[in-house]
Amino acid sequence: MKRALITGITGQDGSYLADLLLAKGYEVHGIMRRASTFNTSRIDHLYADPHINGVRLFLHYGDLADSVNLVKLLYDLKPDEIYHLGAQSHVRVSFDIPEYTADVTGIGTIRILEAIRETGIRSRFYQASSSEMFGKAQEIPQTERTPFWPRNPYAVAKVFAYWATVNYRESYGLHACNGILFNHESPRRGETFVTRKITRAAAAIKQGLQKELFLGNLNAKRDWGYAPEYVEGMWRMLQQDTGDDYVLATNETHTVREFCEAAFAHVDLDWKEFVRHDARYERPAEVDLLMGNPARAERILGWNATTRFADLVRIMVDADMQLLSRKTAQEHLGDQP
């Protein structure tokens, strides 16, 4: 039985990756930060499965700012594969907390790579790199050879982590991969990210729970795919004989405005009646257009994105409609005599 360690297991990608690896028969270990409340909603369904609970899924407290803890975990677990997904991953927030973003998103990667080197284990390593590294894109579409021009602290930290991964691969012979993933969304996307913010608002407005939606730049163009397909690509990277770097994308681009239009139309609403501009959501430096060419991943990994833009929007809106149609626990209690 292969053993995998996932940082950021409670996030969107971490939870889908846990689903995938458990389905493939892995023993899965995840790192989560200790907090006053649990943030495990995205993986709670796994504990309801009697074949998994207490058998092949284990959570460990840890922090990407604590290198000693990371070394101890690797000594104890000796994982075959490490998927490094943990980060401060919100682009707009990175402008507000740039030092923290650099420490966790950038230096955190060095801490894990150094822990692998220090322990002497031969874990295969996946680094969650980002299309945001391309920033002010120098060519369209972007490939593995496109120069980086980061436009926010998050992207700067990701560029650091990218080159650290390459450096440890070349210096110490690690099987280390960078997955340069373009935007990938799902019903498990955090509610402060623009796509989920839109689909949740469309569902809430349709059900009379919200009146308006405030957004920043509606003209930004992104390459949007479906997260469960992208974690499959991560896994495929670590099954290759050597580590390398790959772009995962759809090779299509759509504006935030198009996302709004599609989401609201799916519930028979006109987005222009409800969406308002708010300058607070604008970034100090904007990334206007990202679109990736996944040809190399298709050729070498046999990977491709099959869920297209319209289907992605529909999946997310339907999930939020279902979520918001349920009664809350408070409402249930209110029904009691």
Side-chain angles (χ1 to χ4, degrees), residues 266-286:
H266 187 59
V267 290
D268 300 316
L269 295 175
D270 181 353
W271 71 276
K272 288 179 285 188
E273 296 181 12
F274 306 100
V275 177
R276 306 287 181 262
H277 178 263
D278 190 331
R280 291 178 300 174
Y281 296 115
E282 299 277 359
R283 302 175 184 178
E286 186 56 77

Side-chain angles (χ1 to χ4, degrees), residues 5-12 29-43 58-67 69-70 73 84-90 93 97 99-105 108 111-112 192-193:
L5 175 64
I6 304 173
T7 71
I9 193 171
T10 59
Q12 170 189 254
H29 295 258
I31 298 177
M32 60 180 291
R33 284 176 296 173
R34 184 179 290 277
S36 58
T37 57
F38 285 109
N39 181 30
T40 59
S41 59
R42 294 185 180 95
I43 57 174
F58 306 90
L59 297 180
H60 307 268
Y61 286 119
D63 197 302
L64 293 173
D66 185 352
S67 57
N69 176 257
L70 293 173
L73 271 176
H84 178 37
L85 313 181
Q88 191 301 99
S89 58
H90 198 288
V93 171
I97 49 172
E99 182 180 346
Y100 176 79
T101 301
D103 184 43
V104 173
T105 305
R111 292 187 181 107
I112 296 180
T192 60
F193 288 82

Side-chain angles (χ1 to χ4, degrees), residues 120-261:
I121 62 176
R122 302 306 295 174
S123 303
R124 296 187 174 194
F125 177 77
Y126 172 84
Q127 162 61 19
S129 291
S130 169
S131 60
E132 283 286 335
M133 300 188 302
F134 295 120
K136 192 174 181 179
Q138 299 302 288
E139 62 180 359
I140 301 170
Q142 293 91 54
T143 72
E144 292 83 359
R145 296 184 176 275
T146 303
F148 300 138
W149 192 325
R151 298 271 283 170
N152 53 72
Y154 166 76
V156 171
K158 282 292 188 181
V159 170
F160 177 92
Y162 171 93
W163 285 116
T165 301
V166 172
N167 183 254
Y168 272 71
R169 181 172 69 215
E170 295 177 350
S171 300
Y172 304 113
L174 298 187
H175 188 299
C177 296
N178 279 294
I180 308 174
L181 273 56
F182 282 64
N183 292 62
H184 47 287
E185 318 297 320
S186 77
R188 298 184 192 176
R189 187 56 136 159
E191 294 170 11
T192 60
F193 288 82
V194 67
T195 52
R196 184 72 193 290
K197 189 175 177 181
I198 292 168
T199 61
R200 189 172 176 83
I205 291 170
K206 181 65 176 180
Q207 298 187 38
L209 302 174
Q210 184 173 327
K211 294 182 178 180
E212 295 176 306
L213 169 63
F214 294 93
L215 296 174
N217 181 12
L218 297 179
N219 297 317
K221 295 180 179 180
R222 292 295 184 269
D223 184 323
W224 276 305
Y226 187 38
E229 297 174 355
Y230 283 59
V231 300
E232 169 80 21
M234 299 176 189
W235 175 78
R236 292 192 180 205
M237 291 180 205
L238 295 198
Q239 309 317 303
Q240 303 304 302
D241 292 335
T242 57
D244 211 334
D245 310 317
Y246 301 91
V247 163
L248 299 187
T250 70
N251 205 23
E252 290 182 13
T253 188
H254 297 272
T255 63
V256 175
R257 179 179 285 101
E258 288 177 85
F259 203 106
C260 287
E261 183 178 8

